Amino acid sequence: MAHLTRRRLIAAGGLGGAAILARGGTEAAGQHAHQDAGTDGPVHAGHEGSGHADFRDGRTVDHAANGFDPHELVRDFDWGRTTRMAGGRVLREWELVAIDREIEVAPGVRFAAWTYNGRIPGPTLRCREGERLRITFANASEHPHTIHFHGIHPSDMDGVPGQGAGQIGHGGKTVYEFDALPAGLHLYHCHVRPLAEHIAKGLYGAFIVDPRDGREDADELVMVMNGFDTNFDRANEVYAANTIPFAYMHRPIEVAHGELIRVYVVNVLEYDLINSLHLHGNLFDWYPTGTSPRAAEFTDTVMLCQGQRGIAEWRFSTPGRFMFHAHQSEFTELGWQGFFDVR
Ligand SMILES: [Cu+2]
């Protein structure tokens, strides 16, 4: 029996093949994909009647059933809640819960995900440089997890097994507490072994530390670049920014021309060594890790390994539709592309 690889999937018509895969199981999918690869017509899932699954044509997932929508996530920053400590310093707190949850990552493709707070990516935690941060982590998942933050903190707050509270089992709870340092764009993710699995299942999110003096006013967006291995062969079948492939093709991100746009870009993609972001019709200032006030580059394409991140800033000077996507064409074809609709 031919094994359905990612490249065969592409030959079979991209995500149509992925839907087949999810519905028919690996072996049947291999057969179908093989048959479909020889036809000129669109790929059909061959299941439940209509079954047209090439959702580049407009089909999408049930965002409401998933419990999160990439069109909302893209501008959703979670500032937690604050109180003042003795001396006046801000204490900022969040509660994160690890939850096992099946989500639809492409039309008809269900994925047994592990999430923080029921969404992928987890909440975009946002704070200001120098504040005290307190994150209460509860594990409602069947598997042990942690939260490992990037940034500066003591070793017992590092969220890795064997240090501090170590891995948190089902029903367990711990508190991570540290100072918000340094200003920049960071991330958090589970750090339990097998690490690739714990990340690829969906346990990650963006973590933004604003500089003490803030940044210039802008229309701010967050894009966590990810993908999903839906058939457990340690290769991704779908790619996206903020989880759902093609979401911003179907419903472009509306922005205003002339306005400063700031995108917090984080790459968490597992199994592929490199990911990238490319913008059409413009170039952007690129601030790697967001830690310096000076842009490192003025470009239209950046490449990032897993954990690498940065801030992109630019203005559109004319209205219209402008694409953004990975500049690995394979990732683009499998979902990692979208549009800005400049009004
Ligand atoms: Cu985990």
Side-chain angles (χ1 to χ4, degrees):
M1 178 58 59
H3 179 60
L4 182 62
T5 66
R6 184 171 54 158
R7 281 170 180 79
R8 287 182 71 99
L9 196 66
I10 295 166
L15 287 161
I20 293 165
L21 184 75
R23 291 169 182 193
T26 310
E27 287 206 330
Q31 287 178 318
H32 288 162
H34 183 66
Q35 289 163 6
D36 287 336
T39 68
D40 294 327
V43 174
H44 292 261
H47 187 64
E48 294 173 352
S50 63
H52 185 258
D54 190 349
F55 78 135
R56 282 173 289 197
D57 295 339
R59 276 191 58 182
T60 188
V61 305
D62 187 342
H63 299 301
N66 278 349
F68 63 91
D69 184 333
H71 301 92
E72 292 160 14
L73 296 192
V74 73
R75 286 191 172 95
D76 183 17
F77 299 93
D78 187 342
W79 291 89
R81 62 167 196 285
T82 58
T83 51
R84 294 273 174 183
M85 300 191 295
R89 196 173 163 208
V90 169
L91 170 67
R92 193 176 294 276
E93 299 182 73
W94 296 271
E95 272 101 46
L96 262 62
V97 185
I99 303 166
D100 299 342
R101 180 168 196 157
E102 193 180 75
I103 64 165
E104 192 184 20
V105 292
V109 182
R110 306 201 66 84
F111 180 78
W114 299 343
T115 73
Y116 291 121
N117 291 11
R119 45 172 276 180
I120 303 176
T124 296
L125 305 183
R126 189 154 183 188
C127 59
R128 290 192 184 85
E129 185 181 7
E131 292 174 341
R132 187 69 169 176
L133 309 181
R134 183 180 292 161
I135 302 97
T136 302
F137 173 54
N139 187 6
S141 164
E142 294 301 314
H143 309 268
H145 301 297
T146 68
I147 309 176
H148 161 70
F149 285 86
H150 288 222
I152 299 170
H153 48 245
S155 69
D156 61 348
M157 292 294 147
D158 199 38
V160 298
Q163 283 180 213
Q167 61 183 41
I168 307 303
H170 172 70
K173 199 176 221 186
T174 192
V175 175
Y176 300 105
E177 185 166 331
F178 47 86
D179 297 331
L181 288 171
L185 170 58
H186 311 300
L187 66 152
Y188 62 90
H189 58 86
C190 180
H191 215 293
V192 170
R193 283 190 297 258
L195 192 52
E197 185 184 12
H198 281 250
I199 292 178
K201 286 282 227 171
L203 289 170
Y204 46 74
F207 170 43
I208 300 170
V209 180
D210 279 2
R212 251 172 245 277
D213 300 328
R215 297 183 190 273
E216 187 182 346
D217 279 348
D219 182 5
E220 297 193 310
L221 309 167
V222 61
M223 291 188 192
V224 176
M225 308 194 302
N226 55 359
F228 294 92
D229 170 17
T230 60
N231 61 350
F232 315 109
D233 64 351
R234 300 179 73 81
N236 297 300
E237 281 71 50
V238 293
Y239 294 82
N242 297 336
T243 303
I244 306 300
F246 302 113
Y248 306 121
M249 294 294 282
H250 298 148
R251 246 177 75 198
I253 299 172
E254 290 181 22
V255 295
H257 84 84
E259 189 172 6
L260 180 64
I261 297 165
R262 175 177 300 126
V263 186
Y264 296 91
V265 181
V266 179
N267 180 39
V268 297
L269 185 66
E270 194 58 74
Y271 305 124
D272 290 283
L273 297 179
I274 285 175
N275 204 337
S276 59
L277 168 71
H278 168 57
L279 176 66
H280 284 210
N282 225 313
L283 278 79
F284 51 81
D285 285 316
W286 180 246
Y287 301 85
T289 322
T291 45
S292 168
R294 287 169 301 282
E297 200 176 2
F298 183 54
T299 182
D300 60 19
T301 307
V302 288
M303 112 182 146
L304 304 104
C305 69
Q306 189 187 48
Q308 212 169 359
R309 66 274 185 192
I311 299 174
E313 289 186 351
W314 75 96
R315 295 169 202 268
F316 285 109
S317 54
T318 55
R321 283 195 168 198
F322 296 95
M323 281 193 89
F324 60 96
H325 58 85
H327 221 306
Q328 285 95 330
S329 306
E330 185 181 24
F331 299 0
T332 314
E333 290 288 303
L334 290 170
W336 179 183
Q337 55 180 303
F339 272 118
F340 288 107
D341 188 0
V342 186
R343 305 278 179 97

